[in-house]
Amino acid sequence: MRLKNRLFWIISVSSFVIDQLTKLLVVKTFELGETLPLLPGIFHFTYVTNTGAAFSILSGKVEWLRWLSLAVSLGLIAIGLFSPLLNLWEELGYGLILGGAIGNGIDRFALGYVVDFLDFRLINFPVFNLADSCISIGVICLLVSSLQKTPNSTQKHR
């Protein structure tokens, strides 16, 4: 049996593994709160924990976010398994979102928080992780896909 939507699965597994490896590296090499300026004042690695969602919204709502991560992950797995063939942007988008949702979901179930470490200080952005990046990029991919599916404005509407 051939696996349908193969790129979706490759992207989701790859993004999940890279997310977990980077978080493990940070946890093993940094003390909580420690920062390493890579570009001083612009970009640092800063080890923090987050009990909320992206950008610390819903902070302290770990229990609810655990189950949301699980539901999103199961829904995306169902899309990968049961939907017709996805286009390139859909495979990328859904795969990145699944990898990120599983990465942060596992943190929430296992640790009770998410490990964050990407710290863009130039724009005073909240500290985040690769799973957050995957989810955000995945949403952009799905927007691109939806724009490609919109009817051409020169077509006649019935």
Side-chain angles (χ1 to χ4, degrees):
M1 183 173 114
R2 186 172 166 188
L3 184 63
K4 187 170 57 165
N5 297 313
R6 190 167 69 196
L7 182 61
F8 164 83
W9 298 108
I10 292 168
I11 294 293
S12 61
V13 169
S14 299
S15 58
F16 164 72
V17 168
I18 292 167
D19 170 67
Q20 292 296 293
L21 288 175
T22 56
K23 289 173 182 174
L24 180 64
L25 180 65
V26 168
V27 168
K28 295 293 184 185
T29 58
F30 286 76
E31 295 293 325
L32 187 60
E34 183 180 354
T35 190
L36 171 66
L38 299 176
L39 297 169
I42 298 171
F43 178 68
H44 296 216
F45 278 167
T46 303
Y47 174 24
V48 298
T49 60
N50 177 1
T51 59
F55 315 119
S56 296
I57 58 173
L58 301 173
S59 190
K61 305 288 187 202
V62 174
E63 191 64 33
W64 184 80
L65 289 168
R66 284 178 182 157
W67 299 108
L68 178 62
S69 294
L70 180 61
V72 167
S73 298
L74 292 174
L76 290 169
I77 289 168
I79 287 172
L81 290 173
F82 303 116
S83 72
L85 290 177
L86 301 170
N87 70 42
L88 173 67
W89 289 106
E90 290 171 331
E91 286 195 82
L92 289 171
Y94 289 132
L96 286 166
I97 294 169
L98 177 59
I102 291 175
N104 280 344
I106 285 178
D107 284 4
R108 289 186 182 105
F109 275 100
L111 306 172
Y113 55 83
V114 172
V115 173
D116 287 334
F117 60 93
L118 299 172
D119 186 2
F120 282 94
R121 295 187 173 189
L122 181 65
I123 55 175
N124 197 24
F125 205 73
V127 181
F128 60 100
N129 59 42
L130 288 179
D132 298 330
S133 299
C134 288
I135 292 167
S136 298
I137 295 167
V139 168
I140 292 168
C141 290
L142 292 178
L143 288 173
V144 168
S145 175
S146 71
L147 292 174
Q148 290 182 336
K149 289 181 179 179
T150 58
N152 188 335
S153 59
T154 61
Q155 290 178 338
K156 291 183 179 180
H157 295 285
R158 295 180 185 200

